[in-house]
Amino acid sequence: MPSHTVVLLPGDGVGPEVAHEARLVIELVAPDVALEERLIGAAAIRAAGDPLPEETLAACRGASAVLKGPVGDPEFDAADVRPEQGLLRLRGALDAYANLRPAVQGDVDVLIVRELVGGLYFGASGVRDDGTVFDTCEYHPDQVARVVRRAFALARARRGALTSIDKANVLETSRMWRRVVNEIAPEFPEVGVEHMLVDNAAMQLATTPDQFDVIVTENMFGDILSDLAAAVTGGLGLAPSASLSDSGPGIFEPVHGSAPDIAGRGVANPTAMLRSVALMLEHGIGRPEEAQAVVRAVEHAIATVPTPDLGGSAGTVAFGAAVREQLALTAA
Ligand code: NAD
Ligand code: IPM
Ligand code: MN
């Protein structure tokens, strides 16, 4: 019997290209893991009329972890049923509220902890009779407290500095967020806390990203700031994420999207996906040594066979092959 079942959701655009490299790496470093492939996103809409078919969700619920490629296809941008709805439903169904988005390069080592199942993404939205369109941002203090506690605990295990990012000068939800952070702070006396307004935080991340250790923020701010953090540490092609619940499977996926501008050309950088594999090995199925081996092999491939986004000319497949070659060498 396999030790663990991991559901692999290749997704759309460059998703299947990077997911294939992820599969080959998992088969090499964790051959006892069963990989079950399922549909999500535009691929699932085309096959089943639903971006998150019941069968996909059931498989994810029953797995040790979910490894996901990006979803999204310009064909559905204006449709009522859209690929991204499948991803949001999956995050909600698994209650994967703590989204860890590390960005590391040189002196910069920042971990963004993004609240993932609340705020504008999950609030009421609609159209009024007069044509007004609305999205609402709502948070319950308990929803804030659980992700903030996670962030404090992560900061305690790192350099002990937590920056909570909000828009407390304008938003009611942000003022409550700030209050909850301050209430929890005494539980973590080893951690220093700072509050920062999101507009300034964007500027600080762009100019002096090395000042940050752990950042905690709400859903939409975290979405935007994590692309920015990726940009200042080598680009979107490098940035992985882990979305964790309190119990049950986590979702491991690149920060980047389906990259329709380069899809099908075999040039996508699979690093974000392979680093998501490493996060899955560590946080999803408890294999920290294999995770470290993947991280080091990817580092080696970045240095020796960079993809076009890094100024090189290696394709997705050549990069993946270099990673596996390095893994085989270091295992020998
Ligand atoms: P994107 O992240 O797909 O692409 C932004 C830019 O980064 C593009 O120039 C792209 O070529 C480049 N890029 C992204 N990943 C790369 C990689 N691995 N290697 C090299 N270059 C890479 O953002 P977008 O164009 O705004 O969004 C496209 C679609 O992806 C949309 O439908 C969006 O909803 C979806 N999306 C999905 C996820 C997800 O599933 N988690 C995340 C973000 C965006
Ligand atoms: C991400 C993506 C998603 C988000 C979209 C595709 C719903 O941008 O994972 O960062 O906004 O959370
Ligand atoms: Mn995003």
Side-chain angles (χ1 to χ4, degrees):
M1 246 186 75
S3 58
H4 286 281
T5 298
V6 171
V7 169
L8 179 61
L9 306 173
D12 307 318
V14 299
E17 300 170 43
V18 297
H20 182 66
E21 299 310 317
R23 166 183 282 281
L24 296 178
V25 163
I26 294 168
E27 285 172 354
L28 188 62
V29 301
D32 54 317
V33 167
L35 281 170
E36 269 187 31
E37 213 161 296
R38 292 286 186 279
L39 294 174
I40 192 170
I45 298 176
R46 290 194 188 97
D50 182 348
L52 183 68
E54 192 45 52
E55 201 228 346
T56 296
L57 179 57
C60 292
R61 284 192 201 280
S64 298
V66 178
L67 181 66
K68 186 194 148 289
V71 295
D73 189 309
E75 182 189 330
F76 295 100
D77 278 352
D80 287 335
V81 178
R82 291 184 306 281
E84 293 82 354
Q85 293 163 340
L87 172 56
L88 297 182
R89 271 164 51 201
L90 179 66
R91 289 171 177 172
L94 298 184
D95 199 25
Y97 68 88
N99 179 213
L100 279 41
R101 297 193 156 188
V104 181
Q105 186 184 59
D107 294 340
V108 181
D109 180 357
V110 50
L111 175 63
I112 296 181
V113 181
R114 168 190 178 195
E115 200 292 326
L116 201 61
V117 297
L120 276 171
Y121 283 67
F122 288 83
S125 64
V127 186
R128 296 206 188 91
D129 292 343
D130 70 349
T132 306
V133 182
F134 63 95
D135 298 283
T136 54
C137 184
E138 286 190 33
Y139 270 107
H140 187 282
D142 294 347
Q143 263 182 307
V144 177
R146 64 179 185 168
V147 73
V148 164
R149 277 207 178 82
R150 281 257 190 169
F152 266 107
L154 287 161
R156 184 172 55 192
R158 289 169 48 106
R159 304 195 299 281
L162 180 65
T163 307
S164 176
I165 294 176
D166 62 35
K167 189 74 183 174
N169 52 345
V170 177
L171 301 176
E172 221 38 85
T173 44
S174 282
R175 284 190 284 275
M176 181 272 282
W177 182 285
R178 219 173 245 228
R179 177 170 54 74
V180 170
V181 170
N182 289 335
E183 281 167 8
I184 291 173
E187 295 173 26
F188 299 87
E190 316 87 335
V191 177
V193 198
E194 175 190 23
H195 299 279
M196 197 179 279
L197 297 172
V198 63
D199 44 357
N200 178 36
M203 186 277 284
Q204 302 279 344
L205 257 178
T207 54
T208 50
D210 58 330
Q211 73 179 280
F212 295 103
D213 179 11
V214 177
I215 285 172
V216 65
T217 193
E218 67 89 47
N219 202 343
M220 177 68 93
F221 297 159
D223 178 44
I224 298 164
L225 294 178
S226 57
D227 265 40
L228 180 51
V232 299
T233 52
L236 269 180
L238 304 181
S241 86
S243 307
L244 309 175
S245 66
D246 282 330
S247 59
I251 305 166
F252 301 85
E253 62 173 329
V255 169
H256 68 73
S258 54
D261 53 337
I262 59 167
R265 293 181 15 212
V267 296
N269 187 343
T271 296
M273 187 68 169
L274 295 175
R275 285 180 170 166
S276 300
V277 168
L279 290 175
M280 183 277 289
L281 289 167
E282 182 170 354
H283 298 278
I285 63 170
R287 304 268 174 95
E289 282 168 24
E290 288 82 348
Q292 263 314 305
V294 171
V295 166
R296 280 194 298 265
V298 166
E299 216 47 64
H300 186 264
I302 289 172
T304 52
V305 287
T307 44
D309 56 313
L310 303 176
S313 59
T316 312
V317 168
F319 188 98
V323 170
R324 296 195 304 282
E325 194 180 315
Q326 185 64 16
L327 279 167
L329 276 177
T330 49

